[in-house]
Amino acid sequence: MVLPEPVVLSLIPAASILGIIFAIFLWKRVSAIQLTGGRLISSQNGREYLLEEQQGGGEEEVVAKAADIQKSISEGASSFLATEYYYLGIFMVIMAVVIFSLLSIVKPEGDRTHSDEVRNGIFSTIAFVLGGATSILSGYLGMQIATYANARTAVEARKGIAPAFMCAFRSGAVMGFLLSGFGLLNLFLAICVFRKFYGDDLRGLFEAITGYGLGGSSIALFGRVGGGIYTKAADVGADLVGKVEKDIPEDDPRNPAVIADNVGDNVGDIAGMGADLFGSFAESTCAALVIAAVSDLGNKHGYTAMMFPLLVSATGIVVCLLTTFLATDFYPAKKISEIEHALKMQLIVSTLLMTPVALGVAFWSLPATFEMNVPSSTPDQPFDVKVVKNWYMFVCIATGLWGGLLVGLQTEYFTSNRYKPVQDVADACRTGPATDIIFGLALGYKSCIIPTIVIGVAIYVGNTLAGMFGIACCALGMLSTLATGLAIDAYGPISDNAGGIAEMAGMGEDIRERTDALDAAGNTTAAIGKGFAIGSAALVSLALFGAFVTRARIDMIHSSILEPRVFAGLLLGAMLPYWFSAMTMKSVGKAALAMVHEVRRQFNTIAGLMEGTTRPDYKKCVAISTQAAISEMIAPGALVMFTPVVVGALFGTQCLAGVLAGSLVSGVQLAVSMSNTGGAWDNAKKYIEAGATEHARELGGKGSDCHKAAVIGDTVGDPLKDTSGPSLNILIKLMAVESLVFAPFFYNCAHGEGLIFDFFGWTQ
């Protein structure tokens, strides 16, 4: 039974608003821990009480330090984002003009008129601005939440693991539900408003709405790159001088780069990551909508069936809401060994609950059978018709859902220090940083095997059952538990900041041990989140590629891989992730050089700094990271944004199709290996520092030669896992959605042949 349209139109915004309300509820629970007047007050059951200070220091002094550090981190993060968003605002204005101009000058063909093309240009531009604004809002809210919760997590750690864990996880969940709720609600409202102008022209409506995904991913790219450069410049500078040269602890307040390092956790891992996963959600939904609009769903079966992708995301919010109570109320981590298990159970339980829900959504929103257009295998007709049953779509959703879980679990295996791969990397530090790096690289390359197989299976299943629509729904399935994925991902940087604040506020070794354990689990969950983002980006990119092929009217019969233009594009596209990674890594290296020189200068010239009697100049290091991030993010961003436009306009749609396929194939492997290698090096270092096992204690602990080798490995891995790796998944999906948005313009350039080939008469 298909649900009536009014019910569908109520369910989607209701689930979005429910997610936002639940985020506010969690926020209230976190805000019950107040840093007031230099004293920590925790309010529970209507009673307020002071926490017992376990370290023997003064209660007011410790909390006052934590509040002061939190304020410095928050101000630094807000200042950077204000500067970054100022330039991104300028970019959005320029890009909006470009989108409107290029789409409005397209020559109408068939039954389309010039006013139809102008309308497409106007509404694609509006959707782009809305997507970009939502992405900015997602990043900003995430940063505000994280900087509010970091000191509270640190001071809660004095009561034990459970209070600190619940504070960090609830704060991460606030971000997860706010982003999921706002992202879905804004997209739904945009569709409703656009429908007033497009009427029954669903194809035109959803082709215009793809601008929403373009806006989201454009901002995400600059947010990831800029934030990644910021955080890793500070992190590398702080580690190399502080831990390796001066042999002082991580996050020691004597280190001039320590505030910049903690600010970076928020602008890179929180704001950048939030914008990234919002972009994945927006693009996967837009890809499914565009493909469905040119099928039987858009032509015969009404609005309810077209809303299937949004219904999947809406029900996912409700499932994640129920799952969250497991970690926050019923089964929170109460000791160090339970932290990773509690986080992993979030993924497993949300996947289990979402599976029957997806089946219900497929039966209640889709007709029993419908037809999808798929590329034809014969030259007589452009498309074949595939008959699809509604339960096929459940299989596609479930394939992506369980595939995402499998990618997450194997990522945990390769990046958690509870398992042999990371312990082997730590053991390799016995003979110095060279063997540490060799083992880490090997681990990253090996970790590509299972995600690649999972993505390949998902592509085969989705395409076999429902063509490109099936692939898009596999991506939707992988992202259906987005709120939970964001919660466990944001938990990591909050815990990392909490550890830094605990160290700088002088809370003692036992508190730092607890926050380090929370942080180590956070590194693993961050790697899991990146695995989800990369896997979904691959599926989204392929679905967008299919929509681009249709909209650009590419003749698939004559677009064989052996066709020179296609093959040349494949080689160019496969090279782009390496070019992009070279630019971002060199940017981190240049900024880190400046940071190292500044930290050394302060240690050498400021009297009493090593003794702790003088305060370092934190603002100078913050300024270095800010300037480097803003200036260095432009070139990589321009490479990604200009490539589809230049290739599509000058060399034609066939060459651009090759570029998109090549960047997808090489970008996925590179992104997975980078993220997992960096995560493994980081946790190998923490494994040695914690000394929780006999093997770890044999390696010497903090300050030993093994530890210094691990620090160097971690430093090498920082730009891999937090700058280049996470940005690559945005590269492959952003180029695909940009190509889809501009497809009419590319076809208008000599009927897709490209201006260069047309000029020289090399047309086919």
PDB file of all heavy atoms in Angstrom, residues 52-80:
ATOM      1  N   GLU A  52      34.073  16.586  43.245  1.00  0.00           N
ATOM      2  CA  GLU A  52      35.236  16.427  44.109  1.00  0.00           C
ATOM      3  C   GLU A  52      36.500  16.523  43.265  1.00  0.00           C
ATOM      4  O   GLU A  52      36.644  15.872  42.237  1.00  0.00           O
ATOM      5  CB  GLU A  52      35.193  15.062  44.794  1.00  0.00           C
ATOM      6  CG  GLU A  52      36.401  14.803  45.694  1.00  0.00           C
ATOM      7  CD  GLU A  52      36.368  13.395  46.264  1.00  0.00           C
ATOM      8  OE1 GLU A  52      35.390  12.683  45.999  1.00  0.00           O
ATOM      9  OE2 GLU A  52      37.324  13.032  46.945  1.00  0.00           O
ATOM     10  N   GLU A  53      37.432  17.328  43.642  1.00  0.00           N
ATOM     11  CA  GLU A  53      38.701  17.447  42.923  1.00  0.00           C
ATOM     12  C   GLU A  53      39.606  16.296  43.321  1.00  0.00           C
ATOM     13  O   GLU A  53      39.921  16.107  44.483  1.00  0.00           O
ATOM     14  CB  GLU A  53      39.373  18.786  43.271  1.00  0.00           C
ATOM     15  CG  GLU A  53      40.717  18.988  42.581  1.00  0.00           C
ATOM     16  CD  GLU A  53      40.574  18.885  41.082  1.00  0.00           C
ATOM     17  OE1 GLU A  53      39.739  19.597  40.519  1.00  0.00           O
ATOM     18  OE2 GLU A  53      41.281  18.069  40.486  1.00  0.00           O
ATOM     19  N   GLN A  54      39.995  15.504  42.336  1.00  0.00           N
ATOM     20  CA  GLN A  54      40.752  14.292  42.623  1.00  0.00           C
ATOM     21  C   GLN A  54      42.265  14.502  42.585  1.00  0.00           C
ATOM     22  O   GLN A  54      43.019  13.616  42.931  1.00  0.00           O
ATOM     23  CB  GLN A  54      40.362  13.202  41.616  1.00  0.00           C
ATOM     24  CG  GLN A  54      38.883  12.844  41.690  1.00  0.00           C
ATOM     25  CD  GLN A  54      38.511  11.812  40.646  1.00  0.00           C
ATOM     26  OE1 GLN A  54      39.377  11.265  39.974  1.00  0.00           O
ATOM     27  NE2 GLN A  54      37.237  11.557  40.520  1.00  0.00           N
ATOM     28  N   GLN A  55      42.687  15.650  42.076  1.00  0.00           N
ATOM     29  CA  GLN A  55      44.117  15.822  41.900  1.00  0.00           C
ATOM     30  C   GLN A  55      44.789  16.627  43.014  1.00  0.00           C
ATOM     31  O   GLN A  55      45.975  16.866  42.981  1.00  0.00           O
ATOM     32  CB  GLN A  55      44.395  16.511  40.555  1.00  0.00           C
ATOM     33  CG  GLN A  55      44.254  15.570  39.370  1.00  0.00           C
ATOM     34  CD  GLN A  55      42.835  15.074  39.210  1.00  0.00           C
ATOM     35  OE1 GLN A  55      41.920  15.872  39.123  1.00  0.00           O
ATOM     36  NE2 GLN A  55      42.648  13.782  39.202  1.00  0.00           N
ATOM     37  N   GLY A  56      44.024  17.056  43.921  1.00  0.00           N
ATOM     38  CA  GLY A  56      44.624  17.779  45.035  1.00  0.00           C
ATOM     39  C   GLY A  56      44.816  19.250  44.770  1.00  0.00           C
ATOM     40  O   GLY A  56      45.247  19.985  45.633  1.00  0.00           O
ATOM     41  N   GLY A  57      44.515  19.720  43.546  1.00  0.00           N
ATOM     42  CA  GLY A  57      44.647  21.127  43.244  1.00  0.00           C
ATOM     43  C   GLY A  57      43.402  21.862  43.676  1.00  0.00           C
ATOM     44  O   GLY A  57      42.405  21.286  44.067  1.00  0.00           O
ATOM     45  N   GLY A  58      43.424  23.183  43.577  1.00  0.00           N
ATOM     46  CA  GLY A  58      42.264  23.964  43.950  1.00  0.00           C
ATOM     47  C   GLY A  58      41.158  23.826  42.918  1.00  0.00           C
ATOM     48  O   GLY A  58      41.392  23.929  41.723  1.00  0.00           O
ATOM     49  N   GLU A  59      39.957  23.590  43.399  1.00  0.00           N
ATOM     50  CA  GLU A  59      38.797  23.414  42.512  1.00  0.00           C
ATOM     51  C   GLU A  59      38.603  24.613  41.614  1.00  0.00           C
ATOM     52  O   GLU A  59      38.500  24.496  40.395  1.00  0.00           O
ATOM     53  CB  GLU A  59      37.561  23.161  43.377  1.00  0.00           C
ATOM     54  CG  GLU A  59      36.251  23.157  42.621  1.00  0.00           C
ATOM     55  CD  GLU A  59      36.066  21.862  41.852  1.00  0.00           C
ATOM     56  OE1 GLU A  59      36.561  20.829  42.303  1.00  0.00           O
ATOM     57  OE2 GLU A  59      35.438  21.919  40.783  1.00  0.00           O
ATOM     58  N   GLU A  60      38.549  25.798  42.208  1.00  0.00           N
ATOM     59  CA  GLU A  60      38.284  26.998  41.433  1.00  0.00           C
ATOM     60  C   GLU A  60      39.409  27.276  40.446  1.00  0.00           C
ATOM     61  O   GLU A  60      39.153  27.700  39.315  1.00  0.00           O
ATOM     62  CB  GLU A  60      38.090  28.186  42.376  1.00  0.00           C
ATOM     63  CG  GLU A  60      36.850  28.071  43.254  1.00  0.00           C
ATOM     64  CD  GLU A  60      36.541  29.366  43.971  1.00  0.00           C
ATOM     65  OE1 GLU A  60      37.169  30.391  43.628  1.00  0.00           O
ATOM     66  OE2 GLU A  60      35.675  29.364  44.854  1.00  0.00           O
ATOM     67  N   GLU A  61      40.648  27.026  40.850  1.00  0.00           N
ATOM     68  CA  GLU A  61      41.777  27.306  39.964  1.00  0.00           C
ATOM     69  C   GLU A  61      41.748  26.408  38.728  1.00  0.00           C
ATOM     70  O   GLU A  61      41.950  26.870  37.601  1.00  0.00           O
ATOM     71  CB  GLU A  61      43.096  27.094  40.720  1.00  0.00           C
ATOM     72  CG  GLU A  61      44.330  27.369  39.874  1.00  0.00           C
ATOM     73  CD  GLU A  61      45.613  27.062  40.626  1.00  0.00           C
ATOM     74  OE1 GLU A  61      45.534  26.756  41.834  1.00  0.00           O
ATOM     75  OE2 GLU A  61      46.682  27.114  39.990  1.00  0.00           O
ATOM     76  N   VAL A  62      41.483  25.118  38.933  1.00  0.00           N
ATOM     77  CA  VAL A  62      41.470  24.172  37.815  1.00  0.00           C
ATOM     78  C   VAL A  62      40.357  24.503  36.831  1.00  0.00           C
ATOM     79  O   VAL A  62      40.558  24.561  35.619  1.00  0.00           O
ATOM     80  CB  VAL A  62      41.325  22.724  38.338  1.00  0.00           C
ATOM     81  CG1 VAL A  62      41.061  21.757  37.193  1.00  0.00           C
ATOM     82  CG2 VAL A  62      42.578  22.311  39.084  1.00  0.00           C
ATOM     83  N   VAL A  63      39.160  24.735  37.353  1.00  0.00           N
ATOM     84  CA  VAL A  63      38.025  25.013  36.481  1.00  0.00           C
ATOM     85  C   VAL A  63      38.182  26.365  35.794  1.00  0.00           C
ATOM     86  O   VAL A  63      37.799  26.536  34.640  1.00  0.00           O
ATOM     87  CB  VAL A  63      36.706  24.932  37.266  1.00  0.00           C
ATOM     88  CG1 VAL A  63      35.525  25.253  36.373  1.00  0.00           C
ATOM     89  CG2 VAL A  63      36.543  23.560  37.875  1.00  0.00           C
ATOM     90  N   ALA A  64      38.754  27.330  36.494  1.00  0.00           N
ATOM     91  CA  ALA A  64      39.002  28.633  35.881  1.00  0.00           C
ATOM     92  C   ALA A  64      39.967  28.493  34.704  1.00  0.00           C
ATOM     93  O   ALA A  64      39.782  29.118  33.657  1.00  0.00           O
ATOM     94  CB  ALA A  64      39.564  29.604  36.921  1.00  0.00           C
ATOM     95  N   LYS A  65      41.007  27.663  34.881  1.00  0.00           N
ATOM     96  CA  LYS A  65      41.938  27.424  33.773  1.00  0.00           C
ATOM     97  C   LYS A  65      41.222  26.762  32.602  1.00  0.00           C
ATOM     98  O   LYS A  65      41.422  27.144  31.441  1.00  0.00           O
ATOM     99  CB  LYS A  65      43.093  26.536  34.242  1.00  0.00           C
ATOM    100  CG  LYS A  65      44.142  27.238  35.081  1.00  0.00           C
ATOM    101  CD  LYS A  65      45.268  26.261  35.425  1.00  0.00           C
ATOM    102  CE  LYS A  65      46.344  26.935  36.267  1.00  0.00           C
ATOM    103  NZ  LYS A  65      47.420  25.981  36.621  1.00  0.00           N
ATOM    104  N   ALA A  66      40.393  25.757  32.896  1.00  0.00           N
ATOM    105  CA  ALA A  66      39.669  25.064  31.833  1.00  0.00           C
ATOM    106  C   ALA A  66      38.750  26.023  31.079  1.00  0.00           C
ATOM    107  O   ALA A  66      38.673  26.000  29.846  1.00  0.00           O
ATOM    108  CB  ALA A  66      38.864  23.903  32.418  1.00  0.00           C
ATOM    109  N   ALA A  67      38.061  26.890  31.822  1.00  0.00           N
ATOM    110  CA  ALA A  67      37.165  27.853  31.186  1.00  0.00           C
ATOM    111  C   ALA A  67      37.939  28.847  30.338  1.00  0.00           C
ATOM    112  O   ALA A  67      37.508  29.225  29.240  1.00  0.00           O
ATOM    113  CB  ALA A  67      36.345  28.578  32.254  1.00  0.00           C
ATOM    114  N   ASP A  68      39.098  29.258  30.817  1.00  0.00           N
ATOM    115  CA  ASP A  68      39.929  30.211  30.078  1.00  0.00           C
ATOM    116  C   ASP A  68      40.448  29.589  28.784  1.00  0.00           C
ATOM    117  O   ASP A  68      40.447  30.222  27.726  1.00  0.00           O
ATOM    118  CB  ASP A  68      41.092  30.665  30.960  1.00  0.00           C
ATOM    119  CG  ASP A  68      41.971  31.697  30.269  1.00  0.00           C
ATOM    120  OD1 ASP A  68      41.434  32.727  29.823  1.00  0.00           O
ATOM    121  OD2 ASP A  68      43.195  31.468  30.167  1.00  0.00           O
ATOM    122  N   ILE A  69      40.888  28.332  28.873  1.00  0.00           N
ATOM    123  CA  ILE A  69      41.399  27.636  27.683  1.00  0.00           C
ATOM    124  C   ILE A  69      40.272  27.425  26.677  1.00  0.00           C
ATOM    125  O   ILE A  69      40.454  27.624  25.467  1.00  0.00           O
ATOM    126  CB  ILE A  69      42.033  26.292  28.092  1.00  0.00           C
ATOM    127  CG1 ILE A  69      43.259  26.543  28.977  1.00  0.00           C
ATOM    128  CG2 ILE A  69      42.424  25.481  26.858  1.00  0.00           C
ATOM    129  CD1 ILE A  69      43.702  25.317  29.758  1.00  0.00           C
ATOM    130  N   GLN A  70      39.112  27.027  27.188  1.00  0.00           N
ATOM    131  CA  GLN A  70      37.959  26.839  26.299  1.00  0.00           C
ATOM    132  C   GLN A  70      37.635  28.132  25.566  1.00  0.00           C
ATOM    133  O   GLN A  70      37.349  28.126  24.354  1.00  0.00           O
ATOM    134  CB  GLN A  70      36.749  26.386  27.106  1.00  0.00           C
ATOM    135  CG  GLN A  70      35.492  26.203  26.257  1.00  0.00           C
ATOM    136  CD  GLN A  70      34.223  26.178  27.085  1.00  0.00           C
ATOM    137  OE1 GLN A  70      34.146  26.835  28.118  1.00  0.00           O
ATOM    138  NE2 GLN A  70      33.234  25.427  26.640  1.00  0.00           N
ATOM    139  N   LYS A  71      37.676  29.235  26.264  1.00  0.00           N
ATOM    140  CA  LYS A  71      37.374  30.522  25.647  1.00  0.00           C
ATOM    141  C   LYS A  71      38.381  30.842  24.545  1.00  0.00           C
ATOM    142  O   LYS A  71      38.002  31.312  23.458  1.00  0.00           O
ATOM    143  CB  LYS A  71      37.387  31.626  26.715  1.00  0.00           C
ATOM    144  CG  LYS A  71      37.034  33.004  26.170  1.00  0.00           C
ATOM    145  CD  LYS A  71      37.058  34.048  27.284  1.00  0.00           C
ATOM    146  CE  LYS A  71      36.753  35.437  26.715  1.00  0.00           C
ATOM    147  NZ  LYS A  71      36.803  36.486  27.774  1.00  0.00           N
ATOM    148  N   SER A  72      39.667  30.574  24.800  1.00  0.00           N
ATOM    149  CA  SER A  72      40.695  30.838  23.795  1.00  0.00           C
ATOM    150  C   SER A  72      40.484  29.976  22.552  1.00  0.00           C
ATOM    151  O   SER A  72      40.614  30.451  21.418  1.00  0.00           O
ATOM    152  CB  SER A  72      42.081  30.566  24.381  1.00  0.00           C
ATOM    153  OG  SER A  72      42.351  31.431  25.459  1.00  0.00           O
ATOM    154  N   ILE A  73      40.149  28.702  22.757  1.00  0.00           N
ATOM    155  CA  ILE A  73      39.915  27.798  21.626  1.00  0.00           C
ATOM    156  C   ILE A  73      38.699  28.245  20.834  1.00  0.00           C
ATOM    157  O   ILE A  73      38.713  28.291  19.594  1.00  0.00           O
ATOM    158  CB  ILE A  73      39.744  26.350  22.125  1.00  0.00           C
ATOM    159  CG1 ILE A  73      41.055  25.838  22.736  1.00  0.00           C
ATOM    160  CG2 ILE A  73      39.295  25.432  20.992  1.00  0.00           C
ATOM    161  CD1 ILE A  73      40.915  24.498  23.439  1.00  0.00           C
ATOM    162  N   SER A  74      37.629  28.601  21.541  1.00  0.00           N
ATOM    163  CA  SER A  74      36.402  29.030  20.875  1.00  0.00           C
ATOM    164  C   SER A  74      36.620  30.309  20.076  1.00  0.00           C
ATOM    165  O   SER A  74      36.156  30.432  18.931  1.00  0.00           O
ATOM    166  CB  SER A  74      35.298  29.237  21.915  1.00  0.00           C
ATOM    167  OG  SER A  74      34.108  29.656  21.307  1.00  0.00           O
ATOM    168  N   GLU A  75      37.342  31.255  20.668  1.00  0.00           N
ATOM    169  CA  GLU A  75      37.609  32.510  19.960  1.00  0.00           C
ATOM    170  C   GLU A  75      38.473  32.276  18.726  1.00  0.00           C
ATOM    171  O   GLU A  75      38.231  32.863  17.668  1.00  0.00           O
ATOM    172  CB  GLU A  75      38.293  33.503  20.903  1.00  0.00           C
ATOM    173  CG  GLU A  75      37.364  34.067  21.973  1.00  0.00           C
ATOM    174  CD  GLU A  75      38.100  34.973  22.952  1.00  0.00           C
ATOM    175  OE1 GLU A  75      39.353  34.993  22.904  1.00  0.00           O
ATOM    176  OE2 GLU A  75      37.424  35.628  23.771  1.00  0.00           O
ATOM    177  N   GLY A  76      39.477  31.410  18.858  1.00  0.00           N
ATOM    178  CA  GLY A  76      40.331  31.115  17.710  1.00  0.00           C
ATOM    179  C   GLY A  76      39.568  30.448  16.585  1.00  0.00           C
ATOM    180  O   GLY A  76      39.730  30.798  15.412  1.00  0.00           O
ATOM    181  N   ALA A  77      38.703  29.482  16.936  1.00  0.00           N
ATOM    182  CA  ALA A  77      37.923  28.778  15.922  1.00  0.00           C
ATOM    183  C   ALA A  77      36.925  29.721  15.256  1.00  0.00           C
ATOM    184  O   ALA A  77      36.763  29.710  14.027  1.00  0.00           O
ATOM    185  CB  ALA A  77      37.198  27.591  16.550  1.00  0.00           C
ATOM    186  N   SER A  78      36.252  30.539  16.041  1.00  0.00           N
ATOM    187  CA  SER A  78      35.269  31.479  15.483  1.00  0.00           C
ATOM    188  C   SER A  78      35.940  32.493  14.574  1.00  0.00           C
ATOM    189  O   SER A  78      35.407  32.839  13.508  1.00  0.00           O
ATOM    190  CB  SER A  78      34.526  32.205  16.613  1.00  0.00           C
ATOM    191  OG  SER A  78      33.793  31.294  17.399  1.00  0.00           O
ATOM    192  N   SER A  79      37.112  32.954  14.975  1.00  0.00           N
ATOM    193  CA  SER A  79      37.845  33.922  14.169  1.00  0.00           C
ATOM    194  C   SER A  79      38.242  33.330  12.821  1.00  0.00           C
ATOM    195  O   SER A  79      38.085  33.963  11.769  1.00  0.00           O
ATOM    196  CB  SER A  79      39.087  34.396  14.927  1.00  0.00           C
ATOM    197  OG  SER A  79      39.871  35.245  14.112  1.00  0.00           O
ATOM    198  N   PHE A  80      38.747  32.096  12.849  1.00  0.00           N
ATOM    199  CA  PHE A  80      39.147  31.466  11.589  1.00  0.00           C
ATOM    200  C   PHE A  80      37.945  31.234  10.686  1.00  0.00           C
ATOM    201  O   PHE A  80      37.989  31.527   9.486  1.00  0.00           O
ATOM    202  CB  PHE A  80      39.854  30.141  11.849  1.00  0.00           C
ATOM    203  CG  PHE A  80      40.080  29.349  10.590  1.00  0.00           C
ATOM    204  CD1 PHE A  80      41.058  29.736   9.687  1.00  0.00           C
ATOM    205  CD2 PHE A  80      39.292  28.251  10.286  1.00  0.00           C
ATOM    206  CE1 PHE A  80      41.257  29.031   8.514  1.00  0.00           C
ATOM    207  CE2 PHE A  80      39.486  27.541   9.122  1.00  0.00           C
ATOM    208  CZ  PHE A  80      40.476  27.925   8.229  1.00  0.00           C
TER     209      PHE A  80
END
